[in-house]
Amino acid sequence: MAVTAVLRLELTADSGGGRAETVGDFAEFVRMSMPGLLRYGHALTGNPHDAADLVQSVLEKVGSRWVSVQRKGDDPLAYVRRAMANTHISIWRRRRRENLVADLPDSGVVAPELSRLENEPLWQALRSLPPRQRAVIVLRYYENLSEAEIANALGISCGTVKSQSSKAMASLRTRLGKD
Amino acid sequence: MDLDDELRRLFSDDRLDVHSTPDATEAVVRGAERRRRRRSATTTAFALVVLVGAGAALTQLPRSDDTAGDLLPTSTSSASATTTTTAVSTFTSTAIVTVDPPPNSNSSSSVKTETGQPTNKTTIPAIPAPPQPQAQPGQFGSLKLGMSEADALATGSLIEPSSAADPENRCKAYATKSVPDANAVIISPVRGIVRITVPGYAKTPKGITVGSTVDQVKAAYPNATQSGSTLFAKMAATPAWSYVFETDGSSVTAVLMRLDANDCSAV
């Protein structure tokens, strides 16, 4: 609350009344949606650090354009989720040459119980998927979206969703069978 | 074991929870405010760049005033320029943008120069490849519908490696420098580029862009046909191609240019 107050002060000086309301509204949105988004980010990225970074950077971008995001009339939460999936895919594409091996989260910042997921064969298998295939799986089984909704969210065709999904399921099966 | 159930079980596992620090909300709100301020601080520069960027984007979309009256921009829009160079970048310190001259002054170009901010992380729409001197049908930037894979790669606009665009593994999909999606450009081994996804910031010569309403599309392209939530606007050009406006039922979510004689399945 103290923070909001400070921001309000800065903002009135900055550009007047409506702005403070917008910031308060956005802060409320962040507070409410943060836990769910972090979970979703964790499923998407496969590690809690990347999840936190992803949520932070996408929310900052969305927040800096909060008025226009709201004006669009979409559900802002759905909008943020779509942005996270797409941002994650494109970040990975930029980074993959450097980081072929997934970083294991170093302990300390991460709560100890998280590391237990690392022992799940399915979790490990998921981590080995390319991000777009993984995003398709997360949107389908975590978000329970239909193929058409996934296609729309990721900006790809339904055919691509189908092929990515079947590729992903096949390699998950192979991996789990082998292990 | 049913993999579907296993996945649902894993995704509902409590261990997926990530504990956020108490000041996470505050950090996000501050970060958002910082980004917004950075934008405001450079409002003049930014607005100009965006404005010019939009103009440049316009110039990159095919303006087939030589082939299709349907595509003609309104009288306030610019006509085909003799020379056009565009370079807007977040990372260079200077962006020089040349805008097409208005129709009545074909001989001169207005040049606007703006000093960019190297430290500014706010995403300025990056205009990728410089548009060709003459606007040609079915073209975005240096990429043309029908262009062979080798020629497309030679433009430097594609990001390698490609991925399979169809289940048969016949056609290839590339991301481009302006559209990070892996399926931004689809290339058939026979027909060359069959589909180009236009970046979200670009507008068609009739002003349609991501976020335009279905009604606006229909008003701009009265001959547009609809299939499901997707609208198709045929362009009179050789080879024949169409704008494909993917919508969520009410507004445009993606603008694509697609060769009518397209032989890639699911494209």
Side-chain angles (χ1 to χ4, degrees):
Chain A
M1 277 307 116
V3 179
T4 322
V6 172
L7 278 172
R8 269 170 204 278
L9 274 180
E10 286 178 15
L11 290 165
T12 7
D14 188 27
S15 49
R19 187 73 218 147
E21 218 169 276
T22 305
V23 170
D25 185 50
F26 175 64
E28 192 53 33
F29 170 78
V30 172
R31 245 190 307 280
M32 300 296 290
S33 56
M34 184 72 94
L37 289 177
L38 283 168
R39 245 184 94 84
Y40 166 71
H42 192 193
L44 208 55
T45 61
N47 103 48
H49 298 295
D50 288 351
D53 288 350
L54 184 64
V55 169
Q56 166 100 19
S57 74
V58 168
L59 279 179
E60 279 184 7
K61 271 185 204 155
V62 170
S64 70
R65 301 178 184 279
W66 187 238
V67 175
S68 60
V69 169
Q70 282 187 314
R71 213 182 292 135
K72 274 187 189 160
D74 288 352
D75 172 13
L77 195 55
Y79 179 84
V80 170
R81 288 194 173 125
R82 283 200 301 271
M84 280 173 63
N86 287 309
T87 306
H88 175 55
I89 292 170
S90 54
I91 287 176
W92 181 84
R93 191 173 285 121
R94 280 201 300 274
R95 276 192 196 157
R96 70 176 146 189
R97 281 189 190 82
E98 301 138 48
N99 299 336
L100 283 171
V101 182
D103 290 314
L104 284 174
D106 48 283
S107 53
V109 196
V110 188
E113 71 266 25
L114 286 165
S115 55
R116 284 190 293 145
L117 260 183
E118 304 300 327
N119 299 324
E120 292 272 350
L122 182 55
W123 182 250
Q124 289 170 348
L126 269 172
R127 284 239 295 223
S128 68
L129 293 179
R132 192 148 62 116
Q133 289 183 19
R134 189 184 171 108
V136 168
I137 295 295
V138 170
L139 291 174
R140 181 160 157 202
Y141 293 101
Y142 183 93
E143 293 284 303
N144 290 317
L145 297 188
S146 70
E147 270 173 5
E149 286 168 326
I150 296 172
N152 183 30
L154 298 182
I156 58 183
S157 71
C158 266
T160 309
V161 172
K162 281 197 186 84
S163 66
Q164 295 280 305
S165 170
S166 67
K167 269 186 208 163
M169 293 302 268
S171 54
L172 287 180
R173 286 205 177 87
T174 315
R175 245 165 201 273
L176 292 174
K178 269 183 197 161
D179 289 350
Chain B
M1 177 206 72
D2 186 344
L3 190 50
D4 290 22
D5 291 344
E6 285 283 303
L7 282 165
R8 290 208 172 83
R9 183 194 56 75
L10 180 70
F11 286 146
S12 57
D13 196 306
D14 286 346
R15 289 172 294 173
L16 261 187
D17 284 342
V18 178
H19 298 288
S20 59
T21 48
D23 59 351
T25 300
E26 182 194 322
V28 166
V29 173
R30 264 192 279 113
E33 191 54 28
R34 208 165 38 235
R35 279 174 196 252
R36 196 189 64 84
R37 276 167 183 278
R38 234 187 259 136
R39 257 202 322 272
S40 317
T42 54
T43 298
T44 327
F46 196 79
L48 199 61
V49 169
V50 168
L51 202 73
V52 171
L58 269 169
T59 68
Q60 295 188 355
L61 284 173
R63 184 168 300 118
S64 38
D65 33 4
D66 47 344
T67 47
D70 175 51
L71 256 177
L72 275 174
T74 57
S75 58
T76 52
S77 295
S78 45
S80 303
T82 44
T83 51
T84 311
T85 42
T86 307
V88 177
S89 167
T90 324
F91 304 106
T92 54
S93 56
T94 307
I96 299 172
V97 177
T98 311
V99 182
D100 290 352
N104 55 0
S105 61
N106 273 327
S107 54
S108 68
S109 297
S110 58
V111 179
K112 289 176 184 172
T113 308
E114 203 51 54
T115 307
Q117 307 258 321
T119 52
N120 190 341
K121 275 172 68 189
T122 314
T123 36
I124 292 175
I127 309 289
Q132 296 291 307
Q134 296 104 8
Q136 290 181 33
Q139 171 166 2
F140 183 81
S142 53
L143 296 170
K144 281 179 236 171
L145 290 172
M147 186 183 248
S148 73
E149 184 177 13
D151 290 348
L153 282 169
T155 64
S157 298
L158 302 184
I159 296 173
E160 291 188 88
S162 61
S163 55
D166 51 11
E168 298 84 44
N169 221 346
R170 228 182 110 254
C171 298
K172 290 190 184 167
Y174 284 93
T176 64
K177 297 222 166 109
S178 53
V179 181
D181 181 82
N183 288 329
V185 167
I186 308 287
I187 305 182
S188 145
V190 180
R191 313 235 178 225
I193 295 183
V194 294
R195 199 184 77 186
I196 301 172
T197 304
V198 172
Y201 56 78
K203 284 184 176 171
T204 73
K206 291 209 161 187
I208 300 302
T209 181
V210 169
S212 298
T213 64
V214 169
D215 290 342
Q216 284 170 335
V217 174
K218 286 178 177 164
Y221 300 97
N223 65 343
T225 55
Q226 191 162 1
S227 158
S229 58
T230 307
L231 290 108
F232 301 87
K234 253 182 164 338
M235 294 298 126
T238 314
W241 63 278
S242 301
Y243 274 120
V244 178
F245 303 104
E246 292 183 350
T247 77
D248 58 8
S250 56
S251 61
V252 174
T253 54
V255 179
L256 304 96
M257 298 164 60
R258 195 176 67 170
L259 209 59
D260 289 352
N262 147 36
D263 62 344
C264 297
S265 63
V267 169

